[in-house]
Amino acid sequence: MMNHNPEALHRSLYASASRTLSYGKNKDDPAWRSRVLDKLKELTGLPEKPSTPPEVQIEWRKAQKEFDETRFCFESEPGYWVPCHLLVPSDAVRPPVVICLQGHSSGMHISLGRPKSDIDREHIAGGRDFGLQAIKEGYAALVLEQRAFGECHGFDPINEEAVGAGRCHVAAMQAMLIGRTLLGERVLDVQRAIDALEQFPEVDAQRIACMGNSGGGTATYYAACLEPRIQIAMPSCSVCSYEGSIYAMYHCQCNFIPHALKYFEMQDLAVLIAPRKLVVVAGRQDDIFPLAPTLRTFETIEQIYSRAGCPQNCRFVTGDGGHRFYPDEAWPVFRALAQWD
């Protein structure tokens, strides 16, 4: 029977993809890590980080019941400003900071527990009010808007009326045409956010974590790969082999890195995080980052951490549900690994 389905052809070609920088082919090569790092920077089109501290403009400060809140923007790269909220527990003295990355949604206000729609309320009920959770754990929270989400969305005719989705298509395609990726730009924003935190003495900018769910978890994982100042990362419903998720089904364009499978699978990139701490969170019924390939992905991550001499620094957490975050299961593991208390 003749095949007329290009997607079926592509799936059959996965097995023959070279993946020349995979863990299996390079685990005994001492130069492997540096080659993976260079290639990931190249493929994501990671913009060069400006050498000067970002300009920060504080819009307002307000004392809330349990924390002090500062709304500010910083210039990530010339001509592009990122809106943020910094939450600091009222009784804390220079606490560590958890960078909170919202996934595909109407914006970062969900991390603040401030819904604007019924869909937002569903996200919050699904454990995505990350900023408030970090405060309850005694950490400061930096809630920032990712590119193409919330306040940072551009024009996208595909999702123009979608209240609960990001508007990534046009921005992602434009980025690829100029040799970048939207994912690489999001990583740059995290890097510059850490630079900006140096201007806030009320927090400890030397103790940094990053977390997020779905698209926020994806950005968390790649930011941890490319930014060594992130000491612990907690991506949720996002770390899975390309074969089992991104390559296998529909996903937003912002998830894709051109030519990645010529060099590596997603799990191979953990060599760039180890020995730093990593908590991978998954849902047993997640239909777009399925549990079975996620578990196989984590097996390779465990091997990478074991060869780095720190198997205790990566942990896997599962929740009994779908594509959401699981605070009751995840935060105790995070707290034990962070050892900041």
Side-chain angles (χ1 to χ4, degrees), residues 5-21:
N5 186 338
E7 296 164 16
L9 172 64
H10 294 159
R11 285 193 291 271
S12 71
L13 291 173
Y14 175 88
S16 61
S18 52
R19 297 190 288 284
T20 56
L21 293 177

Side-chain angles (χ1 to χ4, degrees), residues 31-84:
W32 172 50
R33 184 189 183 282
S34 63
R35 300 209 319 272
V36 173
L37 178 60
D38 290 343
K39 185 55 67 175
L40 184 61
K41 288 180 178 178
E42 174 191 335
L43 296 186
T44 58
L46 182 67
E48 184 175 352
K49 189 165 78 78
S51 59
T52 56
E55 182 179 348
V56 172
Q57 293 189 3
I58 295 175
E59 298 183 4
W60 49 260
R61 297 181 186 268
K62 184 175 181 180
Q64 306 288 3
K65 183 177 179 180
E66 297 179 344
F67 55 86
D68 297 323
E69 181 175 2
T70 302
R71 159 77 186 210
F72 70 96
C73 295
F74 67 87
E75 190 174 32
S76 181
E77 58 180 322
Y80 184 75
W81 291 78
V82 180
C84 301

Side-chain angles (χ1 to χ4, degrees), residues 39-326:
K39 185 55 67 175
L40 184 61
K41 288 180 178 178
E42 174 191 335
L43 296 186
T44 58
L46 182 67
E48 184 175 352
K49 189 165 78 78
S51 59
T52 56
E55 182 179 348
V56 172
Q57 293 189 3
I58 295 175
E59 298 183 4
W60 49 260
R61 297 181 186 268
K62 184 175 181 180
Q64 306 288 3
K65 183 177 179 180
E66 297 179 344
F67 55 86
D68 297 323
E69 181 175 2
T70 302
R71 159 77 186 210
F72 70 96
C73 295
F74 67 87
E75 190 174 32
S76 181
E77 58 180 322
Y80 184 75
W81 291 78
V82 180
C84 301
H85 290 253
L86 178 63
L87 317 181
V88 182
S90 303
D91 58 353
V93 178
R94 301 196 72 243
V97 184
V98 178
I99 298 173
C100 303
L101 303 178
Q102 213 65 47
H104 288 79
S105 67
S106 60
M108 64 177 172
H109 54 273
I110 293 171
S111 272
L112 301 170
R114 298 167 185 165
K116 298 180 179 180
S117 68
D118 289 340
I119 294 175
D120 289 352
R121 293 182 183 90
E122 291 177 12
H123 284 310
I124 292 170
R128 298 179 188 177
D129 52 346
F130 307 132
L132 298 187
Q133 293 173 30
I135 289 293
K136 290 178 181 178
E137 292 293 324
Y139 307 126
L142 179 66
V143 177
L144 67 86
E145 199 76 275
Q146 292 206 83
R147 299 195 193 202
F149 296 159
E151 297 178 41
C152 295
H153 74 75
F155 169 71
D156 191 335
I158 293 176
N159 286 315
E160 188 173 8
E161 302 301 326
V163 175
R167 297 184 180 182
C168 301
H169 177 81
V170 172
M173 296 299 101
Q174 288 174 332
M176 288 185 187
L177 283 172
I178 59 174
R180 293 183 169 197
T181 62
L182 188 55
L183 184 55
E185 292 177 333
R186 289 172 178 169
V187 170
L188 173 68
D189 292 343
V190 172
Q191 293 179 318
R192 293 294 275 168
I194 297 174
D195 293 340
L197 284 171
E198 297 284 354
Q199 302 181 41
F200 292 87
E202 60 266 41
V203 300
D204 187 349
Q206 304 305 310
R207 295 187 292 172
I208 299 292
C210 190
M211 68 173 295
N213 185 79
S214 191
T218 298
T220 294
Y221 186 75
Y222 287 103
C225 289
L226 294 166
E227 177 46 69
R229 291 176 294 178
I230 296 173
Q231 296 171 335
I232 178 167
M234 186 162 58
S236 169
C237 294
S238 52
V239 176
C240 183
S241 64
Y242 300 137
E243 177 189 23
S245 181
I246 301 298
Y247 194 77
M249 63 190 73
Y250 177 82
H251 277 277
C252 180
Q253 298 82 1
C254 67
N255 287 282
F256 293 84
I257 301 174
H259 306 292
L261 281 172
K262 291 174 63 178
Y263 303 100
F264 38 64
E265 255 283 6
M266 192 175 194
Q267 55 265 31
D268 300 317
L269 300 174
V271 70
L272 303 178
I273 305 176
R276 290 172 290 129
K277 315 292 180 62
L278 176 65
V279 180
V280 174
V281 183
R284 291 187 178 91
Q285 285 81 49
D286 191 337
D287 57 354
I288 58 174
F289 292 92
L291 184 61
T294 296
L295 286 169
R296 291 193 295 271
T297 295
F298 191 73
E299 288 176 2
T300 300
I301 292 173
E302 283 185 306
Q303 293 171 26
I304 290 171
Y305 269 76
S306 292
R307 290 192 70 86
C310 54
Q312 72 282 0
N313 285 358
C314 68
R315 298 284 299 276
F316 190 82
V317 175
T318 54
D320 190 16
H323 190 70
R324 50 160 295 180
F325 183 61
Y326 298 90

